[in-house]
Amino acid sequence: MSPCWEARADLLVVGTGVAGLTAALRAQSLGLRVLVVTKAAAEDGNTRWAQGGVAVVLPGEHDEGDTVERHVADTLVAGAGLCDEHAVREIVFGGPAAVTKLMELGATFDSAADGRLARTREGGHSAFRVVHAGGDATGAEVERALLSAARDGRIPVLENHVAVQALKTPSGAVAGLHVLDGAGVPGVLTASAVLLATGGLGQLYQATSNPEVATGDGLALALRAGAPVADVEFVQFHPTVLYTGQGARGRCPLVTEAVRGEGAVLVDATGARVMAGVHPLADLAPRDVVAAAITRHMALERGGIDDHVFLDATHLNAATFRTRFPTVYAACASAGVDPSVRPIPVAPAAHFACGGVVSDVDGRTPVVGLYAAGEVASNGLHGANRLASNSLLEGLVVGARAAEAVAADLASGRLADPRSAVVGALPVAPVADRDSLQRVMSRYAAIGRDAEGLAVVGSVLDVSTVDRVLASRVLVEDAALTLVGRALIASASQRRESRGCHVRTDFPERNDAWRRSQLVRLTPSGQPVLGTVTALRGAA
């Protein structure tokens, strides 16, 4: 089907979360013509679901003795040896200015009794440095402020338009997008630069903290455009989503780890502590450690329960809990749980991708004209495991830097003329049944993996995929999940060790022979192939 309409800009931003909107606002301030594209409503991304907050060490707003250097150190420890220290420093040191800019745009964070910003502590942090809004509704406030600023600035947003594939010039540069509108009508958007800010891949799994739009679209689009992705085997499972019964599916209510930051502890049905003796930080250990400990505890059926444990926050009275964690309290109430009276049933669920499209701290990828920021990107900040509340921080810092990079590259003549973009037919790609894919990924490629189980997933994908023309949003999403699932399985099968979020039950020890990132590219026939990072991230 040929495109039926066309629009032009200097920069196309795909996604309306924290990274995409921050980039769009900064690009507009630099004089670029910006067009934002999102496959759902502007408010429907992952950002608004973020509960905990933004990890940042603000001048005059931090614990005594806390420093940006300590924040860097905590990030490196959580990343389990795979962080890029330069990237960590650039992004963490950029945090104070980015959060200050966000507050100038109208974001309001909670205040403490002394008039300073209220701060909490989350897993992996050595200090109370996580600022929050609305108690546990930080993402909603960040999204509100950025969307309001974008609308006030009249930045055009194409809602209900899904990006199908990148348009490329004969020289291989990205110069636009092939998209489908809400009715499935194809169109063409041309621009010298495309920034992917499409979020994660939580819908690869049956239970996730992610909304239904998190289907790995940006990763798939980048791979098909010739860009490599890195470290996709590292999928962080949040230790505590609200357990509402067997067979939980789709987006599950998150119970922010800030509840543990306020003193809650994980217990089994007998009241025994889950994290006792597991880690020096106990219940505030990094997420990968806590999620793996819960999984092991459930496997042993301690307390007679094999599918959830409990988060005991009964030391907080109802009024305190409701005020500090209104979102969590409402979710618990809807499930018939009063967290001030009895412990909250919780279990791990897919939360964040730690890998993504290979890029540098300015969002540049190895493909000219293609940029990435936020969860879709792999710039070296997270390594093998994300430190809690570094994600909103990353979106704010890298989103702005990516816009500045696009402006600089456009001014220097590095980018292609979008008029030379080659427009072809809608692509054909392998598509697996989503329900089958989610079931086998959850069973064999979640927290505990082994060679036999990963082979099962690969076999299911091999026999269940059908080549389809990507002529609808559902097909685009299912094809993306299929491709990303294959890439993840290839990487997880190759990494024969346990590190961070990647736990191999047949290789339970960390092996520093594997202290390196793994790249995935596509062959000309569309098959994922593995390599290692040998050059600077984002180098063209």
Side-chain angles (χ1 to χ4, degrees):
M1 187 183 299
S2 300
C4 299
W5 53 275
E6 182 176 351
R8 296 182 179 180
D10 296 320
L11 170 63
L12 299 175
V13 176
V14 189
T16 52
V18 58
L21 291 176
T22 299
L25 288 163
R26 181 62 179 136
Q28 185 191 57
S29 75
L30 294 170
L32 274 61
R33 295 176 301 150
V34 183
L35 178 59
V36 180
V37 186
T38 181
K39 66 181 180 181
E43 297 86 356
D44 285 345
N46 211 19
T47 292
R48 71 184 177 106
W49 298 106
Q51 290 183 352
V54 185
V56 64
V57 181
L58 291 167
E61 300 276 0
H62 57 79
D63 284 2
E64 183 177 352
D66 194 19
T67 64
V68 179
E69 286 287 356
R70 281 183 60 183
H71 187 179
V72 168
D74 289 346
T75 301
L76 294 173
V77 169
L82 288 191
C83 295
D84 180 310
E85 186 169 350
H86 169 73
V88 173
R89 289 186 172 277
E90 289 290 303
I91 294 170
V92 172
F93 271 85
V99 173
T100 299
K101 176 62 177 178
L102 179 65
M103 290 190 287
E104 291 172 356
L105 290 176
T108 302
F109 291 95
D110 297 336
S111 296
D114 62 4
R116 298 195 302 169
L117 292 180
R119 302 181 310 280
T120 192
R121 183 181 171 197
E122 295 185 337
H125 288 278
S126 60
F128 286 75
R129 66 168 70 101
V130 178
V131 298
H132 48 81
D136 58 0
T138 309
E141 173 61 10
V142 170
E143 181 79 0
R144 182 206 62 77
L146 291 172
L147 268 179
S148 177
R151 286 165 175 159
D152 288 348
R154 292 180 167 79
I155 293 177
V157 178
L158 282 179
E159 297 181 290
N160 300 307
H161 284 68
V162 63
V164 181
Q165 66 179 342
L167 301 180
K168 301 184 75 174
T169 68
S171 66
V174 166
L177 293 169
H178 210 152
V179 301
L180 298 172
D181 69 13
V185 177
V188 164
L189 305 176
T190 56
S192 297
V194 173
L195 171 65
L196 298 176
T198 52
L201 46 75
Q203 293 295 326
L204 262 179
Y205 296 90
Q206 289 177 301
T208 177
S209 65
N210 294 187
E212 64 177 15
V213 294
T215 52
D217 303 3
L219 291 176
L221 187 147
L223 280 167
R224 295 189 189 110
V229 301
D231 298 331
V232 289
E233 66 268 37
F234 296 105
V235 178
Q236 185 182 80
F237 279 67
H238 197 286
T240 54
V241 301
L242 181 65
Y243 176 84
T244 56
Q246 292 182 335
R249 299 296 298 270
R251 195 190 75 81
C252 301
L254 190 66
V255 180
T256 172
E257 62 197 278
V259 179
R260 282 176 278 136
E262 299 294 338
V265 296
L266 289 158
V267 298
D268 64 20
T270 70
R273 293 279 297 272
V274 172
M275 294 302 297
V278 174
H279 190 277
L281 292 176
D283 294 87
L284 286 174
R287 287 174 180 167
D288 62 319
V289 175
V290 181
I294 292 172
T295 302
R296 289 194 300 271
H297 205 91
M298 293 187 303
L300 296 172
E301 294 189 67
R302 289 176 179 166
I305 295 174
D306 66 359
D307 58 1
H308 66 282
V309 293
F310 299 89
L311 183 63
D312 189 350
T314 54
H315 68 291
L316 299 174
N317 63 46
T320 301
F321 197 106
R322 187 185 300 111
T323 300
R324 176 65 182 86
F325 304 110
T327 307
V328 175
Y329 190 88
C332 289
S334 69
V337 176
D338 183 344
S340 66
V341 174
R342 63 186 180 97
I344 306 165
V346 294
H351 188 50
F352 268 125
C354 297
V357 182
V358 173
S359 56
D360 63 14
V361 292
D362 297 310
R364 293 185 180 96
T365 78
V367 176
V368 172
L370 185 66
Y371 302 76
E375 190 176 355
V376 72
S378 175
N379 52 41
L381 173 63
H382 304 297
N385 178 56
R386 286 176 177 249
L387 180 65
S389 289
N390 269 358
S391 299
L392 290 176
L393 177 75
E394 177 190 16
L396 292 168
V397 174
V398 181
R401 291 180 67 130
E404 293 162 3
V406 170
D409 292 347
L410 194 58
S412 68
R414 180 176 186 262
L415 303 181
D417 184 341
R419 291 174 296 182
S420 61
V422 177
V423 181
L426 290 172
V428 176
V431 177
D433 174 73
R434 186 184 300 200
D435 183 68
S436 298
L437 175 61
Q438 289 174 334
R439 281 191 287 107
V440 294
M441 289 294 294
S442 299
R443 174 65 180 85
Y444 298 110
I447 294 176
R449 306 162 175 174
D450 61 28
E452 183 178 357
L454 293 169
V456 169
V457 182
S459 297
V460 170
L461 286 174
D462 287 342
V463 302
S464 66
T465 57
V466 177
D467 287 347
R468 303 286 299 275
V469 177
L470 304 187
S472 70
R473 170 180 159 179
V474 170
L475 287 171
V476 170
E477 291 178 331
D478 288 352
L481 289 172
T482 303
L483 178 55
V484 172
R486 279 179 161 161
L488 190 157
I489 293 304
S491 294
S493 298
Q494 184 70 18
R495 184 175 288 279
R496 298 182 180 94
E497 65 158 354
S498 291
R499 180 186 298 269
C501 302
H502 173 69
V503 177
R504 284 285 298 262
T505 57
D506 48 352
F507 295 97
E509 302 300 321
R510 184 187 298 189
N511 179 354
D512 279 346
W514 286 96
R515 191 177 174 179
R516 62 182 188 269
S517 290
Q518 292 190 117
L519 291 183
V520 176
R521 298 179 184 271
L522 292 191
T523 65
S525 64
Q527 295 300 311
V529 292
L530 289 172
T532 57
V533 173
T534 57
L536 198 62
R537 288 178 182 270

